[in-house]
Amino acid sequence: MRVTIDIMLPQHWVEVRRIYLQGIATGKATLETEAKEWEEWNASHLERCRLVSRADEAIVGWAALSAVSARSVYSGVAEVSVYVGERFRGLGLGRKLLEALITSSEECGIWTLQAGILADNATSLELHGKCGFRVVGTRTRIGKRNGTWRDVVLMERRSTVVGLE
């Protein structure tokens, strides 16, 4: 299987949304229970730093960044989203996507990446740890999904090349 990482384009949305819905279905990837339509998703994510992973020609994963604040002082801080299609999990694609997203973010001047990960998502916690993220803390009972309170672990990664001055 030949895997490549490409820039996400609007025409990839159908496949990106399908993979996101697979993540939602696990109950461990997000507190969201439905996927937004393209226009809303597009408006809530940075225009840069959007990637797709392809196995041969099929889109099998994606990664993107969202701004954490509209305030200019936080212009170099972004939140990470990484999703891999259910048939392709456990093959290292999430790590390749996250590493490529880190590189892309630094090329765009992002100095801090953060991730809010559901506390019972051990795979995602491990992935982010392997990519240089550290645990900042746990937000206890921060949100409900299907009537159940969930804890979210906040992780962050400070760039080693951007924002050092």
Side-chain angles (χ1 to χ4, degrees), residues 5 12 24 27 90-91 95 97 112 115 118 146 150-151 155:
I5 306 288
H12 299 143
I24 289 172
L91 302 176
R95 185 167 184 169
L97 270 167
T112 299
L118 291 169
N146 299 326
R150 304 291 295 275
D151 297 347
M155 298 184 79

Side-chain angles (χ1 to χ4, degrees), residues 8 10-25 33-39 41 52 59 61-62 83:
M8 182 192 299
Q11 58 262 37
H12 299 143
W13 176 243
V14 171
E15 290 303 305
V16 166
R17 187 174 190 271
R18 180 185 57 76
I19 292 166
Y20 184 48
L21 287 167
Q22 290 173 359
I24 289 172
T33 56
E34 56 188 54
K36 300 173 182 175
E37 294 300 326
W38 166 251
E39 294 76 18
W41 187 92
V52 292
I59 293 175
W62 63 272
Y83 288 83

Side-chain angles (χ1 to χ4, degrees), residues 41-71:
W41 187 92
N42 184 47
S44 67
H45 288 78
L46 299 180
E47 289 184 28
R48 57 191 198 254
C49 303
R50 297 177 181 185
L51 304 172
V52 292
S53 175
R54 295 178 186 267
D56 298 319
E57 288 305 308
I59 293 175
V60 298
W62 63 272
L65 296 179
S66 304
V68 299
S69 175
R71 295 173 58 194

Side-chain angles (χ1 to χ4, degrees), residues 51-129:
L51 304 172
V52 292
S53 175
R54 295 178 186 267
D56 298 319
E57 288 305 308
I59 293 175
V60 298
W62 63 272
L65 296 179
S66 304
V68 299
S69 175
R71 295 173 58 194
S72 62
V73 69
Y74 296 114
S75 64
V77 183
E79 183 172 357
V80 173
S81 294
V82 178
Y83 288 83
V84 175
E86 60 190 354
R87 290 187 13 237
F88 296 89
R89 294 179 190 146
L91 302 176
L93 299 180
R95 185 167 184 169
K96 287 181 182 181
L97 270 167
L98 186 52
E99 288 172 345
L101 188 64
I102 289 166
T103 299
S104 178
S105 73
E106 291 175 336
E107 289 169 355
C108 292
I110 304 292
W111 58 78
T112 299
L113 295 176
Q114 67 181 42
I117 303 169
L118 291 169
D120 61 343
N121 190 341
T123 301
S124 189
L125 292 167
E126 181 180 356
L127 166 65
H128 285 78

